[in-house]
Coordinates of all heavy atoms in Angstrom, one line a residue:
W7 N 34.2 65.0 49.2 CA 34.1 63.5 49.2 C 33.5 63.0 50.5 O 32.7 62.1 50.4 CB 35.6 63.0 49.1 CG 35.8 61.7 48.6 CD1 34.8 60.7 48.3 CD2 37.1 61.0 48.2 NE1 35.4 59.6 47.8 CE2 36.7 59.8 47.8 CE3 38.3 61.5 48.3 CZ2 37.7 58.8 47.4 CZ3 39.3 60.6 47.9 CH2 39.0 59.3 47.5
L8 N 33.8 63.7 51.5 CA 33.2 63.2 52.8 C 31.7 63.4 52.8 O 30.9 62.6 53.4 CB 33.8 64.1 54.0 CG 33.4 63.8 55.3 CD1 33.9 62.4 55.8 CD2 33.9 64.8 56.3
R9 N 31.3 64.5 52.1 CA 29.8 64.7 52.0 C 29.0 63.5 51.3 O 27.8 63.5 51.5 CB 29.6 66.1 51.3 CG 29.8 67.3 52.2 CD 29.2 68.5 51.4 NE 29.3 69.7 52.4 CZ 30.2 70.5 52.6 NH1 31.3 70.3 51.8 NH2 30.2 71.5 53.4
E10 N 29.7 62.8 50.5 CA 29.0 61.7 49.8 C 28.6 60.6 50.8 O 27.7 59.9 50.4 CB 29.9 61.1 48.7 CG 30.2 62.1 47.6 CD 31.0 61.4 46.5 OE1 31.2 60.2 46.5 OE2 31.3 62.1 45.6
Y11 N 29.2 60.5 51.9 CA 29.0 59.4 52.8 C 28.4 59.8 54.2 O 27.9 58.9 55.0 CB 30.2 58.6 53.0 CG 31.0 58.2 51.8 CD1 32.3 58.6 51.6 CD2 30.3 57.7 50.7 CE1 33.0 58.4 50.4 CE2 30.9 57.3 49.6 CZ 32.3 57.7 49.4 OH 32.9 57.5 48.2
V12 N 28.4 61.1 54.4 CA 27.8 61.6 55.8 C 27.3 62.9 55.5 O 27.8 63.7 54.7 CB 28.9 61.5 56.9 CG1 30.0 62.6 56.6 CG2 28.2 61.7 58.2
D13 N 26.3 63.3 56.2 CA 25.6 64.6 56.0 C 26.4 65.7 56.8 O 26.5 65.7 58.1 CB 24.2 64.6 56.5 CG 23.2 63.7 55.7 OD1 23.6 63.6 54.5 OD2 22.2 63.1 56.2
Y176 N 41.4 51.7 60.4 CA 40.1 51.9 59.6 C 39.9 53.4 59.2 O 39.2 53.7 58.3 CB 38.9 51.4 60.4 CG 38.6 52.2 61.6 CD1 37.7 53.3 61.6 CD2 39.3 51.9 62.9 CE1 37.4 54.0 62.7 CE2 39.0 52.7 63.9 CZ 38.1 53.7 63.9 OH 37.8 54.5 65.0
S179 N 40.7 55.9 55.6 CA 39.6 55.8 54.4 C 38.6 56.8 54.7 O 38.3 57.2 55.8 CB 39.1 54.3 54.4 OG 38.3 54.2 55.5
L180 N 38.1 57.3 53.6 CA 36.9 58.1 53.8 C 35.7 57.4 54.3 O 35.0 58.1 55.2 CB 36.4 58.6 52.3 CG 37.0 59.9 51.8 CD1 36.6 61.0 52.6 CD2 38.5 59.8 51.7
R181 N 35.6 56.1 54.2 CA 34.6 55.3 54.8 C 34.7 55.4 56.4 O 33.7 55.6 57.0 CB 34.6 53.8 54.4 CG 33.7 52.9 55.0 CD 34.0 51.5 54.8 NE 33.0 50.5 55.3 CZ 33.3 49.3 55.6 NH1 34.5 48.8 55.5 NH2 32.2 48.6 56.0
G182 N 35.9 55.2 56.8 CA 36.1 55.2 58.3 C 36.0 56.6 58.9 O 35.3 56.7 59.9
V183 N 36.5 57.7 58.2 CA 36.4 59.0 58.7 C 34.9 59.4 58.8 O 34.4 60.1 59.7 CB 37.3 59.9 58.0 CG1 37.0 61.4 58.5 CG2 38.7 59.6 58.1
A184 N 34.1 59.1 57.7 CA 32.7 59.5 57.7 C 31.9 58.8 58.7 O 31.2 59.5 59.4 CB 32.2 59.0 56.3
R185 N 32.3 57.5 59.1 CA 31.6 56.9 60.2 C 31.9 57.6 61.6 O 31.1 57.8 62.3 CB 32.1 55.4 60.2 CG 31.4 54.6 61.4 CD 31.9 53.2 61.4 NE 31.2 52.4 60.4 CZ 31.8 51.9 59.4 NH1 33.1 52.2 59.1 NH2 31.2 51.1 58.5
E186 N 33.2 58.0 61.8 CA 33.6 58.6 62.9 C 32.9 60.0 63.0 O 32.5 60.5 64.1 CB 35.1 58.8 63.1 CG 35.8 57.5 63.3 CD 35.4 56.8 64.5 OE1 35.2 57.6 65.5 OE2 35.3 55.7 64.6
Y187 N 32.8 60.8 61.9 CA 32.1 62.0 61.9 C 30.6 61.9 62.4 O 30.1 62.6 63.1 CB 32.2 62.7 60.6 CG 31.6 64.1 60.6 CD1 32.3 65.2 61.0 CD2 30.3 64.3 60.1 CE1 31.8 66.4 61.0 CE2 29.7 65.6 60.1 CZ 30.5 66.6 60.5 OH 29.9 67.9 60.5
A188 N 30.0 60.8 61.8 CA 28.6 60.5 62.2 C 28.5 60.2 63.7 O 27.6 60.6 64.4 CB 28.2 59.3 61.4
H189 N 29.5 59.5 64.2 CA 29.6 59.1 65.7 C 29.6 60.5 66.5 O 29.1 60.6 67.6 CB 30.8 58.3 66.1 CG 30.7 57.0 65.5 ND1 31.8 56.1 65.4 CD2 29.7 56.3 64.9 CE1 31.4 55.0 64.9 NE2 30.2 55.0 64.6
A193 N 25.2 62.7 62.6 CA 24.7 62.8 61.2 C 24.4 61.4 60.6 O 25.1 60.5 61.0 CB 25.8 63.6 60.4
E194 N 23.7 61.3 59.5 CA 23.4 60.1 58.9 C 24.7 59.6 58.0 O 25.2 60.4 57.3 CB 22.2 60.2 57.9 CG 21.9 58.9 57.3 CD 20.8 59.0 56.3 OE1 20.1 60.1 56.2 OE2 20.4 58.0 55.6
F195 N 25.0 58.3 58.3 CA 26.2 57.7 57.7 C 25.7 56.8 56.5 O 24.8 56.0 56.8 CB 27.1 57.1 58.6 CG 28.2 56.1 58.0 CD1 29.2 56.7 57.3 CD2 28.1 54.7 58.1 CE1 30.2 55.9 56.8 CE2 29.1 53.9 57.6 CZ 30.1 54.5 56.9
R196 N 26.4 56.9 55.4 CA 26.0 56.1 54.2 C 27.3 55.3 53.9 O 28.3 55.9 53.4 CB 25.5 56.9 53.0 CG 24.2 57.7 53.3 CD 23.9 58.6 52.2 NE 24.8 59.7 52.1 CZ 24.7 60.8 52.9 NH1 23.8 60.9 53.7 NH2 25.6 61.8 52.7
D197 N 27.2 53.9 54.1 CA 28.4 53.1 54.0 C 28.6 52.8 52.5 O 27.8 52.1 51.9 CB 28.1 51.8 54.7 CG 29.5 51.0 54.9 OD1 30.5 51.3 54.2 OD2 29.5 50.0 55.7
P198 N 29.8 53.2 52.0 CA 30.0 52.9 50.5 C 30.3 51.4 50.3 O 30.3 51.0 49.1 CB 31.3 53.8 50.2 CG 31.9 54.0 51.5 CD 30.8 54.0 52.5
A199 N 30.6 50.7 51.4 CA 30.8 49.3 51.2 C 29.5 48.4 51.3 O 29.6 47.1 51.2 CB 31.9 48.8 52.2
E200 N 28.5 49.0 51.5 CA 27.2 48.3 51.6 C 26.6 48.0 50.2 O 25.9 48.8 49.6 CB 26.3 49.1 52.4 CG 25.1 48.3 53.0 CD 24.3 49.0 54.1 OE1 24.9 49.5 55.0 OE2 23.0 49.2 53.8
R201 N 26.9 46.8 49.7 CA 26.4 46.4 48.4 C 26.0 44.9 48.4 O 26.3 44.1 49.3 CB 27.5 46.5 47.3 CG 28.1 47.9 47.1 CD 29.1 48.0 46.0 NE 28.5 47.7 44.7 CZ 29.0 48.0 43.5 NH1 30.2 48.6 43.5 NH2 28.5 47.6 42.3
D202 N 25.0 44.6 47.5 CA 24.6 43.2 47.5 C 25.6 42.3 47.1 O 26.4 42.5 46.1 CB 23.5 43.2 46.3 CG 22.8 41.8 46.3 OD1 23.2 41.0 47.1 OD2 21.8 41.7 45.5
F203 N 25.9 41.3 48.0 CA 27.1 40.3 47.7 C 26.9 39.7 46.4 O 27.9 39.2 45.8 CB 27.1 39.4 48.9 CG 28.4 38.6 48.9 CD1 29.6 39.3 49.2 CD2 28.4 37.4 48.5 CE1 30.9 38.6 49.2 CE2 29.7 36.6 48.5 CZ 30.8 37.2 48.9
E205 N 26.2 40.8 43.5 CA 26.9 41.5 42.4 C 28.4 41.6 42.6 O 29.2 42.1 41.8 CB 26.3 42.9 42.2 CG 26.6 43.8 43.4 CD 26.0 45.2 43.2 OE1 25.4 45.4 42.2 OE2 26.3 46.1 44.0
L206 N 28.9 41.1 43.7 CA 30.3 41.2 44.1 C 31.0 39.9 43.6 O 32.3 39.9 43.7 CB 30.5 41.4 45.5 CG 29.9 42.7 46.1 CD1 30.2 42.8 47.6 CD2 30.4 43.9 45.3
V271 N 39.9 54.3 45.0 CA 39.1 53.2 45.8 C 39.9 53.0 47.1 O 39.2 52.8 48.1 CB 39.0 52.0 44.9 CG1 38.3 50.9 45.7 CG2 38.2 52.4 43.6
M272 N 41.2 52.9 47.1 CA 42.0 52.7 48.3 C 41.6 53.7 49.3 O 41.3 53.4 50.5 CB 43.5 52.6 48.1 CG 44.2 52.5 49.3 SD 46.1 52.6 49.0 CE 46.2 54.2 48.5
L273 N 41.7 55.0 48.9 CA 41.3 56.1 49.8 C 39.8 56.1 50.3 O 39.5 56.4 51.4 CB 41.6 57.5 49.1 CG 43.1 57.8 48.9 CD1 43.2 59.0 48.1 CD2 43.9 57.9 50.2
E274 N 39.0 55.6 49.4 CA 37.6 55.6 49.7 C 37.2 54.6 50.6 O 36.4 54.8 51.6 CB 36.8 55.4 48.4 CG 35.3 55.4 48.5 CD 34.6 55.3 47.1 OE1 34.7 54.2 46.5 OE2 34.0 56.3 46.8
L275 N 37.7 53.3 50.4 CA 37.4 52.1 51.2 C 38.3 51.6 52.3 O 38.0 50.8 53.1 CB 36.9 51.0 50.3 CG 35.7 51.2 49.3 CD1 35.6 50.1 48.4 CD2 34.5 51.5 50.1
G276 N 39.6 52.1 52.0 CA 40.7 51.7 52.9 C 41.3 50.4 52.5 O 42.1 49.8 53.2
Q277 N 40.8 49.8 51.4 CA 41.4 48.5 50.8 C 42.4 48.8 49.7 O 42.0 49.3 48.6 CB 40.3 47.7 50.3 CG 40.7 46.5 49.5 CD 41.4 45.5 50.3 OE1 40.9 45.0 51.3 NE2 42.6 45.1 49.9
D380 N 39.7 45.8 56.8 CA 38.4 45.1 56.9 C 38.4 43.8 56.0 O 38.4 44.0 54.7 CB 37.3 46.0 56.6 CG 35.9 45.3 56.8 OD1 35.8 44.1 57.2 OD2 34.9 46.2 56.7
P381 N 38.3 42.6 56.5 CA 38.4 41.5 55.6 C 37.2 41.2 54.8 O 37.1 40.4 53.9 CB 38.5 40.2 56.6 CG 37.9 40.8 57.9 CD 38.2 42.2 58.0
L382 N 36.1 42.0 55.0 CA 34.9 42.0 54.1 C 34.9 42.9 53.0 O 34.0 42.9 52.1 CB 33.6 42.2 55.0 CG 33.4 41.2 56.2 CD1 32.1 41.6 56.9 CD2 33.3 39.8 55.7
V383 N 36.0 43.8 52.9 CA 36.0 44.9 51.9 C 36.6 44.4 50.6 O 36.3 45.0 49.5 CB 36.7 46.2 52.4 CG1 37.0 47.2 51.4 CG2 35.7 46.7 53.5
P384 N 37.5 43.5 50.5 CA 38.2 43.2 49.2 C 37.2 43.0 48.0 O 37.4 43.5 46.9 CB 39.0 41.9 49.5 CG 39.3 42.0 51.0 CD 38.2 42.6 51.6
F385 N 36.2 42.3 48.2 CA 35.1 42.0 47.2 C 34.5 43.3 46.7 O 34.3 43.6 45.5 CB 34.1 41.1 47.6 CG 34.6 39.7 47.8 CD1 35.1 39.2 49.0 CD2 34.5 38.7 46.7 CE1 35.6 37.9 49.2 CE2 35.0 37.4 47.0 CZ 35.6 37.1 48.2
V386 N 34.1 44.1 47.7 CA 33.5 45.5 47.3 C 34.5 46.4 46.6 O 34.2 47.0 45.6 CB 33.1 46.1 48.6 CG1 32.4 47.5 48.3 CG2 32.1 45.3 49.4
A387 N 35.8 46.4 47.1 CA 36.8 47.3 46.4 C 37.0 46.8 45.0 O 37.2 47.7 44.2 CB 38.1 47.3 47.3
R390 N 34.2 47.9 42.9 CA 34.2 49.4 42.8 C 35.2 49.8 41.7 O 34.9 50.7 40.9 CB 34.4 50.0 44.1 CG 34.6 51.5 44.1 CD 33.3 52.2 43.8 NE 33.5 53.7 44.2 CZ 32.9 54.7 43.4 NH1 32.0 54.4 42.5 NH2 33.0 55.9 43.8
T444 N 26.9 49.6 69.9 CA 26.1 49.5 68.7 C 26.4 50.4 67.6 O 26.5 50.2 66.4 CB 24.6 49.5 69.0 OG1 24.3 48.4 70.1 CG2 23.8 49.2 67.8
T445 N 26.6 51.7 68.0 CA 26.9 52.8 67.2 C 28.3 52.5 66.4 O 28.3 52.8 65.2 CB 27.1 54.1 67.9 OG1 25.8 54.4 68.5 CG2 27.5 55.2 67.1
I446 N 29.2 52.0 67.1 CA 30.5 51.7 66.2 C 30.4 50.4 65.4 O 31.5 50.2 64.8 CB 31.7 51.6 67.3 CG1 31.6 50.4 68.2 CG2 31.9 52.8 68.1 CD1 32.8 50.0 69.1
G447 N 29.4 49.8 65.5 CA 29.1 48.5 64.6 C 29.2 47.2 65.3 O 29.2 46.2 64.6
A448 N 29.3 47.3 66.6 CA 29.4 45.9 67.3 C 28.0 45.3 67.5 O 27.0 46.0 67.5 CB 30.1 46.2 68.7
P464 N 33.0 44.9 65.2 CA 32.9 44.9 63.8 C 34.2 44.4 63.2 O 35.3 44.5 63.7 CB 32.6 46.3 63.4 CG 33.1 47.2 64.6 CD 32.9 46.3 65.8
T465 N 34.1 43.9 62.0 CA 35.3 43.5 61.3 C 36.3 44.4 60.9 O 37.5 44.2 60.8 CB 34.8 42.8 59.9 OG1 34.1 43.7 59.1 CG2 33.9 41.6 60.2
W466 N 35.9 45.7 60.8 CA 37.0 46.8 60.6 C 37.6 47.3 61.8 O 38.4 48.2 61.8 CB 36.2 47.9 59.8 CG 35.1 48.6 60.6 CD1 35.2 49.6 61.5 CD2 33.7 48.3 60.4 NE1 34.0 49.8 62.0 CE2 33.0 49.1 61.3 CE3 33.0 47.4 59.7 CZ2 31.6 49.0 61.5 CZ3 31.6 47.3 59.7 CH2 30.9 48.1 60.6
R467 N 37.3 46.7 63.0 CA 38.0 47.2 64.2 C 38.8 46.1 64.9 O 38.5 45.6 66.0 CB 36.9 47.7 65.2 CG 36.1 48.9 64.8 CD 37.1 50.1 64.7 NE 37.9 50.4 65.9 CZ 37.3 51.2 66.8 NH1 36.1 51.8 66.6 NH2 38.1 51.4 67.8

Side-chain angles (χ1 to χ4, degrees):
W7 203 351
L8 185 64
R9 281 190 170 93
E10 293 186 6
Y11 312 126
V12 67
D13 293 334
Y176 66 93
S179 68
L180 268 295
R181 179 195 185 205
V183 176
R185 180 182 282 109
E186 290 299 323
Y187 183 82
H189 295 166
E194 182 183 355
F195 169 65
R196 297 172 290 279
D197 191 350
E200 195 170 305
R201 297 186 63 164
D202 185 359
F203 192 73
E205 66 178 5
L206 303 179
V271 175
M272 176 184 68
L273 292 172
E274 184 177 67
L275 299 175
Q277 170 67 55
D380 186 352
L382 299 182
V383 167
F385 290 88
V386 179
R390 172 68 166 149
T444 303
T445 296
I446 65 171
T465 55
W466 58 84
R467 294 297 303 273

